[in-house]
Structures are given as C-alpha cells and as structure tokens.
Amino acid sequence: MSNVVLAVITGLIVIVAILAAIFANRDQTARWAPDSPEATVQSYVQAVVDQDYPAALRHLDPALMCNVSHFEQSYYPQDTAISLFQANIDGDRATVSVEIGSYGEPFFDTFVHQEQFDLVQAESGWLITGSPWPVYICAGML
C-alpha cells in the first residue's frame, strides 16, 4: 500500500514539475512596443501582481468605473505570471489573449488558465475594457 501512495505522489510531483518547466520556458519578460495593446496588458497585469492598484487603474477604461476597492476584493495568487498567446488589432479595438498561471505550493495553488483582454484606443493610448481579470465585477456602464 505504501508503494502505491509513494508512486502516486511521485507521479504528481513529476506532472507539476513538467507544467512548471513548460510555463517557465515561455518568454515571460517579453517587451512590446510601449504603445501596443500587448504592452498595456503586460503593464496592467504586472501592476495588479505588484498590488499597485492606482497604476493598474490607469490601464482601464474609465467607463468601467473600477476603483482600488475592486482590486482589494479580488483574488489572485501573488506568484502570478503571464504569457502572451495572441493579439488581434482591428482599428481602434484590440483583443489580447494571454495565459495566466501560478505555481504556488505544490498541489494546492497551482493553476493555468486563459484570459482575454479587450482594449480600445484612446488619446492616452490603449485602455482595457470589458470585464478584465481579476476585477470582473466592475463593468461600469458598458
């Protein structure tokens, strides 16, 4: 019986290690043109992870009516990482698809999922609109 438990635990550790290696090998520090939708999403996610909510808010469309308390009420692991999947730009609108992942304590806080950010171009640059991660609750007047 103890050999079966040991084999299961070893198998789970190997799976987590493989997932971590795959995610770690992605270019998580890519730098995009500062005025691009990709850079906007990257800066926004970094501000959220750093808990610099005023900076995160600067990347959101004011019509969402988000505020710092929306971020304080949201949940996301502190070891969150982002990896770009795809960006589509159509005039003054853009969609940036990313993979957001976290590798916390083995077996408990590990997750990887896809998020899609919708953006609009404003005079000040690209702004995230819609229901952005992790503050899905502030959809304002949209």
Side-chain angles (χ1 to χ4, degrees), residues 121-141:
Q121 194 165 33
E123 288 181 22
S124 61
W126 289 97
L127 296 173
I128 297 169
T129 191
S131 296
W133 172 91
V135 288
Y136 307 107
I137 58 174
C138 56
M141 306 305 262

Side-chain angles (χ1 to χ4, degrees), residues 17-26 28 99 103:
I18 290 170
L19 288 173
I22 290 170
F23 198 85
N25 283 333
R26 294 180 184 220
Q28 299 173 19
E99 182 177 80
Y103 295 96

Side-chain angles (χ1 to χ4, degrees), residues 57-131:
L57 285 169
R58 287 191 291 272
H59 296 291
L60 297 180
D61 184 344
L64 292 174
M65 298 176 14
C66 291
N67 59 51
V68 170
S69 68
H70 288 112
F71 288 98
E72 293 171 343
Q73 296 171 20
S74 64
Y75 171 78
Y76 54 91
Q78 293 304 302
D79 59 347
T80 298
I82 183 175
S83 180
L84 176 72
F85 265 166
Q86 182 178 3
N88 294 313
I89 302 170
D90 186 14
D92 64 348
R93 300 238 174 231
T95 302
V96 176
S97 299
V98 298
E99 182 177 80
I100 295 179
S102 171
Y103 295 96
E105 296 178 28
F107 316 118
F108 296 106
D109 292 336
T110 300
F111 78 92
V112 176
H113 70 284
Q114 290 185 11
E115 288 287 340
Q116 181 173 307
F117 291 89
D118 296 319
L119 296 94
V120 296
Q121 194 165 33
E123 288 181 22
S124 61
W126 289 97
L127 296 173
I128 297 169
T129 191
S131 296

